Amino acid sequence: MKKDNIAPFFAVLQAANPTPETELEYSTPFELLAAVLLSAQATDVGVNKATRKLYPVANTPQAILDLGVEGLEGYIKTIGLYRSKAKHLIEACRMLVERHGGEVPRTRAELEALPGVGRKTANVVLNVAFGEPTMAVDTHIFRVSNRTGLAPGKTPLEVELKLEKRVPPEYRLHAHHWLILHGRYVCIARKPQCWQCAVAAYCDFKPKTPTPGAG
């Protein structure tokens, strides 16, 4: 994607959705952290179904610790990889209680030190809970960044670093949400819906997917 096309690309996405939000349901930084940890290789819809039952019972590190691994598993067993996620979340809660007074830390290094929390999860928490202009590169952002030519790269980290350089400052806070939603609903994996894409004019992907039934 030509540099001159990047600002208009984001301007169109912003006009369509001025204040994009995560589709994970949460009311505190800890609820967000737990939801993102549970969302690896799972859908936001599936995670929300589980946390709607879990959070009214336990929505703090100490409360989840008190459930224990087996107790926690009972609430999240509908989510993929729930056994390993339960262990990670319990250990993360233990560390939050012992090292951070039960509060979610606000630095990447401290977040990434928590079991089950990688760079992407840390970036989501920093962005959504604390307003940092981070780029949490998931499969949708990785695909959209490469397909459009916005920030091509062979690894999520390479794409993240390119996005930080190429996205204009005024769009950085919400950029990862716009890209996730665009990848989830328009620039989908198997067949991008180019015929109804608002930013197709700025995208390098060729040939564009034709309108179904056309011709």
Side-chain angles (χ1 to χ4, degrees):
M1 186 183 295
K2 293 178 182 176
K3 189 174 182 180
D4 289 348
N5 284 338
I6 295 175
F9 174 89
F10 280 105
V12 169
L13 295 177
Q14 182 185 52
N17 188 359
T19 53
E21 297 179 349
T22 178
E23 293 184 326
L24 289 170
E25 296 171 0
Y26 74 98
S27 59
T28 66
F30 174 72
E31 286 187 2
L32 175 68
L33 173 65
V36 178
L37 189 154
L38 294 173
S39 72
Q41 298 180 48
T43 65
D44 289 358
V45 171
V47 173
N48 290 338
K49 284 181 180 177
T51 57
R52 282 174 200 156
K53 296 177 181 177
L54 171 64
Y55 288 163
V57 176
N59 70 339
T60 66
Q62 188 60 59
I64 286 182
L65 266 181
D66 292 343
L67 286 178
V69 173
E70 288 187 9
L72 177 57
E73 284 180 355
Y75 287 98
I76 67 170
K77 60 187 177 185
T78 54
I79 301 174
L81 308 174
Y82 75 93
R83 292 187 191 280
S84 62
K85 289 176 180 178
K87 290 177 183 175
H88 283 149
L89 184 51
I90 288 286
E91 289 307 310
C93 288
R94 181 170 286 115
M95 194 177 288
L96 288 172
V97 170
E98 292 176 355
R99 299 188 185 181
H100 302 288
E103 298 295 318
V104 176
R106 299 182 67 140
T107 71
R108 186 197 305 281
E110 289 174 314
L111 285 166
E112 288 190 39
L114 299 171
V117 177
R119 186 178 182 90
K120 185 188 79 172
T121 298
N123 278 339
V124 172
V125 173
L126 290 170
N127 179 270
V128 177
F130 301 129
E132 300 281 343
T134 54
M135 302 289 174
V137 178
D138 69 350
T139 55
H140 297 300
I141 292 182
F142 186 79
R143 179 177 67 254
V144 171
S145 296
N146 276 285
R147 183 183 273 164
T148 63
L150 172 63
K154 294 181 179 179
T155 66
L157 180 58
E158 189 179 347
V159 169
E160 178 188 333
L161 296 177
K162 274 197 179 174
L163 284 170
E164 288 179 351
K165 287 182 180 178
R166 301 201 81 200
V167 178
E170 63 269 30
Y171 298 116
R172 271 181 210 153
L173 180 61
H174 294 311
H176 101 267
H177 277 132
W178 286 319
L179 294 173
I180 284 174
L181 294 169
H182 190 63
R184 186 173 288 165
Y185 297 111
V186 180
C187 197
I188 56 180
R190 291 191 178 180
K191 187 178 285 187
Q193 299 175 4
C194 303
W195 68 92
Q196 59 178 9
C197 175
V199 290
Y202 309 112
C203 165
D204 288 352
F205 179 67
K206 291 176 183 177
K208 299 286 195 282
T209 310
T211 304

